[in-house]
């Protein structure tokens, strides 16, 4: 059975690793190509877009794919929407694999917001020194703010950026010890994060809690109305239940 994993996350790589050695499956992982040096999963990998939902649907039919797992980032809304439309057009079962969202703990001071624009609007009333950990995309929302920003991304961000910005290039996982040192070194007053979930970058939340810092938390977009799983094990079980005689 041919399976497409829409990847780019740790869960996608773990799923590809679990399925790679199985003789009953042929797995292809697809990466959007937005990271210059992505961490590649085992097995076949394709990089780049499909040309929207129609292009993806054509690819699914041409490659006779019988199941799709959308294991993209929780904030990759466009890719997820395209996957739903393409799977419907190709008559292909689709599962969304998303790691659980972070939940506030005792001592947290979270300020939930629905979007990056809302986060930018809230910042001036919270502090002067901001640790922005939302990735490369969407930084333009903060470009008009005369605040001090420490921006951490995997690859260099593109303008426009806030006028007073220090860029830190780094890839997780991060430790609580190092995050505390970073926050203290830059005298950070506010942390901004997307609710991505997972353990790779959660140490910053623990560090903010220990220092009593407010966290502006951008909430996830709604999950597509399709079957979903929160773990790799659940995704494997779903794939095992897909009929092998599906037309594709």
């Amino acid at each position: 059975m041919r399976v497409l994993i829409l990847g780019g996350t740790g869960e996608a790589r773990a799923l590809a690793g679990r399925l790679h050695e199985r003789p009953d499956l042929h797995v292809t992982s697809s990466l959007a190509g937005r990271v210059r040096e992505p961490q590649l999963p085992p097995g076949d990998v394709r990089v780049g877009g499909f040309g929207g939902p129609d292009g993806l649907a054509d690819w699914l039919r041409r490659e006779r794919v019988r199941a799709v797992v959308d294991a993209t980032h929780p904030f990759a809304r466009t890719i997820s929407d395209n996957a739903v439309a393409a799977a419907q057009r190709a008559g292909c079962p689709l599962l969304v694999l998303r790691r659980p969202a972070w939940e506030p703990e005792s001592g947290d001071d979270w300020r939930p917001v629905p979007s990056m624009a809302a986060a930018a609007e809230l910042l001036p009333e919270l502090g002067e020194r901001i640790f922005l950990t939302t990735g490369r995309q969407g930084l333009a929302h903060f470009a008009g703010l005369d605040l001090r920003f420490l921006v951490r991304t995997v690859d260099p961000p593109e303008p426009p950026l806030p006028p007073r910005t220090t860029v830190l290039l780094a890839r997780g996982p991060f430790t609580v010890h190092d995050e505390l040192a970073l926050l203290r070194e830059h005298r950070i007053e506010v942390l901004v994060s997307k609710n991505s979930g997972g353990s790779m970058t959660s140490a910053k939340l623990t560090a903010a809690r220990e220092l009593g810092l407010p966290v502006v938390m951008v909430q996830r977009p709604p999950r597509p109305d399709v079957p979903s799983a929160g773990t790799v094990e659940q995704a494997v079980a779903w794939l095992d239940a897909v009929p092998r005689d599906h037309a594709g």
Side-chain angles (χ1 to χ4, degrees):
M1 185 174 78
R2 302 182 72 87
V3 177
L4 173 66
I5 300 175
L6 300 174
T9 62
E11 291 76 23
R13 291 189 294 274
L15 179 60
R18 284 281 298 272
L19 303 178
H20 177 56
E21 299 299 332
R22 286 183 47 166
D24 60 324
L25 300 175
H26 181 278
V27 178
T28 299
S29 296
S30 176
L31 306 180
R34 292 174 178 168
V35 178
R36 292 182 181 180
E37 297 182 4
Q39 295 175 295
L40 297 179
D44 291 346
V45 178
R46 71 176 305 279
V47 178
F50 292 91
D54 287 336
L56 177 54
D58 290 343
W59 192 91
L60 295 175
R61 296 188 191 100
R62 184 171 63 252
E63 298 296 324
R64 301 184 62 80
V65 173
R66 295 188 177 182
V68 179
V69 178
D70 172 11
T72 56
H73 192 276
F75 285 82
R77 179 66 181 271
T78 300
I79 299 175
S80 292
D81 288 346
N82 287 350
V84 171
Q88 290 174 344
R89 294 172 193 178
C92 190
L94 170 68
L95 177 78
V96 171
L97 172 58
R98 292 284 188 273
R99 70 189 77 140
W102 292 315
E103 298 290 343
E105 299 181 13
S106 176
D108 281 330
D109 180 13
W110 285 16
R111 314 296 176 92
V113 293
S115 65
M116 296 279 278
E121 185 176 349
L122 183 60
L123 285 181
E125 66 184 63
L126 295 179
E128 167 74 13
R129 294 177 176 273
I130 316 298
F131 185 24
L132 193 55
T133 65
T134 54
R136 287 192 305 153
Q137 298 184 330
L139 297 181
H141 291 291
F142 305 90
L145 297 178
D146 188 23
L147 304 173
R148 295 184 181 274
F149 284 89
L150 174 64
V151 175
R152 182 167 67 193
T153 60
V154 176
D155 292 323
E158 297 180 356
L161 298 175
R164 296 190 288 171
T165 295
T166 299
V167 175
L168 174 63
L169 300 182
R171 187 197 300 267
F174 305 104
T175 67
V176 175
H177 177 272
D178 289 342
E179 296 291 60
L180 282 168
L182 184 68
L183 294 174
R184 287 171 173 143
E185 176 188 353
H186 292 271
R187 294 182 289 161
I188 297 298
E189 299 171 352
V190 186
L191 169 66
V192 182
S193 174
K194 291 178 177 177
N195 196 334
S196 302
S199 60
M200 288 280 287
T201 60
S202 61
K204 62 188 176 185
L205 304 177
T206 303
R209 184 186 313 122
E210 292 191 14
L211 296 177
L213 303 182
V215 177
V216 179
M217 186 65 74
V218 182
Q219 301 302 293
R220 295 181 176 189
R223 182 179 296 175
D225 187 18
V226 297
S228 63
T231 66
V232 170
E233 290 72 20
Q234 292 171 351
V236 172
W238 179 85
L239 284 168
D240 285 338
V242 173
R244 269 27 182 188
D245 60 351
H246 174 68

